[in-house]
Amino acid sequence: MDATARRVRRHLARARRNETEGRYAQAEGDLRAALRQARAAPGSGSVSAEAAEAASALGILLEALGRPAEAEEILLFAVRLHERVHGPDDSRLAPSLNALGAVRQRRGDLAGAERLYARVVGITTRAAARSARRTPPPDGPTCPRARTGFPCLCGWRDGGAVRRGPGAHSFG
């Protein structure tokens, strides 16, 4: 991580601390400073990720403070950055889209808000499905060879079955 990215990270951490302690004006100042530094830095991928995070946090804060016009502009920028840096279906995009939906809802654009909320649901549903495929249930998945619904005695744990002989299998 380069020096600019470290400075941006420090501003983000300070902004989170200030926001948690109720010092919203200081949090806004730190988020604006983080965004300014991240945007002024030479084109580094990590700095772009920090710029997306700073813009998202600033937009969410402005929406919570009741400044929807400013929040919408910053959130649109945050969404574009997140999409460019992480892709259009990344779960880190959901908070920005959700806050942008709240801004549109507050403005009376219910159709626009509904589209954004539907996108958030789609992103989080796909992320949860991906996570569920990677994470076994607490007692482990059932062995696909046994097909009984009971855990297999072979030691099957996370889908990595390895044959140990004719018909035998185990987690490898």
Side-chain angles (χ1 to χ4, degrees):
M1 187 182 300
D2 66 352
T4 303
R6 281 193 298 274
R7 282 194 301 275
V8 169
R9 284 267 163 222
R10 278 196 298 269
H11 279 293
L12 288 171
R14 195 171 342 150
R16 282 189 205 98
R17 194 171 48 251
N18 283 331
E19 190 174 356
T20 301
E21 294 171 0
R23 296 190 303 252
Y24 301 115
Q26 291 91 339
E28 181 183 348
D30 284 327
L31 290 171
R32 288 188 187 278
L35 184 57
R36 199 171 30 255
Q37 285 183 359
R39 289 177 74 185
S44 165
S46 64
V47 174
S48 294
E50 273 86 25
E53 186 179 345
S56 178
L58 179 59
I60 291 168
L61 177 66
L62 291 171
E63 191 276 324
L65 292 175
R67 292 160 51 191
E70 282 180 89
E72 184 170 19
E73 180 183 338
I74 296 289
L75 286 167
L76 285 169
F77 176 69
V79 166
R80 284 193 305 272
L81 277 178
H82 272 294
E83 287 175 337
R84 196 172 74 221
V85 173
H86 304 295
D89 288 332
D90 191 84
S91 61
R92 290 170 279 201
L93 184 59
S96 299
L97 288 171
N98 194 49
L100 188 55
V103 168
R104 297 252 169 103
Q105 183 178 358
R106 182 181 292 184
R107 228 184 41 207
D109 179 10
L110 299 181
E114 183 179 12
R115 281 191 304 275
L116 290 166
Y117 290 145
R119 189 169 170 201
V120 170
V121 169
I123 288 171
T124 54
T125 301
R126 284 187 296 276
R130 283 190 301 269
S131 176
R133 282 193 301 267
R134 286 192 311 259
T135 307
D139 58 345
T142 58
C143 171
R145 299 209 17 112
R147 306 227 187 263
T148 61
F150 295 103
C152 180
L153 299 177
C154 70
W156 177 269
R157 288 290 174 260
D158 68 352
V162 175
R163 288 185 181 268
R164 287 208 173 155
H169 57 280
S170 177
F171 173 73

